[in-house]
Amino acid sequence: MTPLLQVEDLRVGYGKIEAVKGISFTVKAGQIVTLIGTNGAGKTTTLRTLSGLIRPTAGRILFDGRPLGDIPAHKVVALGLAHSPEGRHIFPQLTIEQNLQLGAYLRKNTAAIARDKKRAYALFPILGERRRQAAGTLSGGEQQMLAMARAMMSQPKLLMLDEPSMGLSPIMMQTIMSTIQELKSQGTTILLVEQNAQAALSLADQAHVMEVGRVVLSGTGQALLHNQSVRKTYLGED
Ligand code: ATP
């Protein structure tokens, strides 16, 4: 089966700085694939490039059989690729409900949108309880839930999550991670960028370790979880 996403020898730079130096990986439909790595490895740059926010300098991105790379961000969303960015970027003055509605801005079927809002509230009950409240009043973890739920409202074929556990308490992190698992079991394909290697590898079907713009190690989540060098560098073992 052709992968949903194929990234081939992708290069991305900021002026003279090359942040992504020729990476290749694929994401098959139904999988969770994770990119892990230290600060500045190029993970966020990769996601921003896939969603059309940055133009690559070289390489190829094929999404659902179509080349991306020159397609602007709003059209990429319409093709079925949603991005829940690092730092969340929810609209604090708007209510939770309005934030979710914005996630569905390209859709016209109001009954289907209402059904998906219900589904989001079932997945994240706290969002349902507070749906008329300004999103800025939510805690960090709750805002993270809203960012994920909003990305899901575009009915993506591929959901990209950038550091969903950032700044969260261990309990909140557990909730977010089990929700990612739940989304997968409901059929969503996920590309997950995470600093928390333990959590990400435990969930991932496939994983890639990035260091200074390159993929230095790839394997199943379980294989990398048991890899000595990964354990030493990313899981803090001696
Ligand atoms: P982190 O885990 O810290 O978010 P990351 O793996 O997501 O790191 P990126 O944010 O993609 O890494 O950064 C990759 C490199 O590109 C870093 O050296 C960073 O300083 C540089 N970089 C990122 N954004 C810009 C920018 N807008 N202008 C110039 N350099 C940038």
Side-chain angles (χ1 to χ4, degrees):
M1 200 174 62
T2 319
L4 181 59
L5 177 72
Q6 275 176 277
V7 175
E8 292 169 9
D9 205 16
L10 186 71
R11 291 176 182 269
V12 192
Y14 299 102
K16 284 191 180 140
I17 303 166
E18 192 170 48
V20 174
K21 303 174 182 175
I23 62 165
S24 301
F25 64 92
T26 59
V27 180
K28 292 189 187 139
Q31 282 190 325
I32 297 180
V33 173
T34 188
L35 305 177
I36 60 167
T38 45
N39 290 118
K43 307 178 298 295
T44 294
T45 302
T46 301
L47 293 198
R48 290 176 59 81
T49 308
L50 294 176
S51 58
L53 295 167
I54 313 176
R55 297 267 158 269
T57 48
R60 210 157 76 111
I61 304 166
L62 278 177
F63 177 65
D64 210 11
R66 274 170 188 257
L68 301 185
D70 289 327
I71 298 186
H74 66 281
K75 293 209 171 134
V76 171
V77 178
L79 292 175
L81 206 161
H83 187 176
S84 173
E86 195 178 18
R88 294 155 201 150
H89 297 287
I90 52 130
F91 297 98
Q93 271 89 13
L94 301 184
T95 65
I96 286 148
E97 180 103 2
Q98 288 166 333
N99 269 273
L100 286 185
Q101 187 68 36
L102 280 174
Y105 77 104
L106 289 170
R107 298 171 60 190
K108 300 208 166 56
N109 183 337
T110 46
I113 293 171
R115 181 201 63 211
D116 287 352
K117 270 190 206 153
K118 257 195 182 157
R119 181 173 167 233
Y121 295 144
L123 208 52
F124 299 111
I126 192 85
L127 298 183
E129 285 163 31
R130 306 211 185 153
R131 62 182 180 274
R132 297 208 170 77
Q133 216 171 299
T137 64
L138 295 173
S139 75
E142 291 158 358
Q143 289 186 26
Q144 184 59 58
M145 293 175 189
L146 178 57
M148 283 172 63
R150 189 184 56 188
M152 284 302 295
M153 289 300 293
S154 66
Q155 286 190 309
K157 294 181 187 134
L158 177 65
L159 174 65
M160 302 197 296
L161 301 172
D162 197 350
E163 306 228 7
S165 80
M166 189 164 63
L168 301 188
S169 66
I171 287 205
M172 200 56 109
M173 201 193 80
Q174 278 298 328
T175 307
I176 293 288
M177 291 297 158
S178 51
T179 307
I180 294 172
Q181 187 76 61
E182 172 70 21
L183 287 173
K184 178 193 164 165
S185 68
Q186 293 176 5
T188 310
T189 308
I190 294 164
L191 179 57
L192 170 67
V193 158
E194 254 302 326
Q195 285 277 342
N196 185 325
Q198 175 83 42
L201 292 175
S202 305
L203 286 181
D205 298 294
Q206 285 293 318
H208 306 279
V209 179
M210 286 187 74
E211 280 174 15
V212 281
R214 294 196 167 85
V215 170
V216 295
L217 192 62
S218 300
T220 64
Q222 284 306 311
L224 294 202
L225 207 49
H226 297 104
N227 176 289
Q228 279 232 312
S229 112
V230 170
R231 296 197 73 80
K232 205 169 163 182
T233 314
Y234 298 99
L235 305 177
E237 288 189 1
D238 289 330

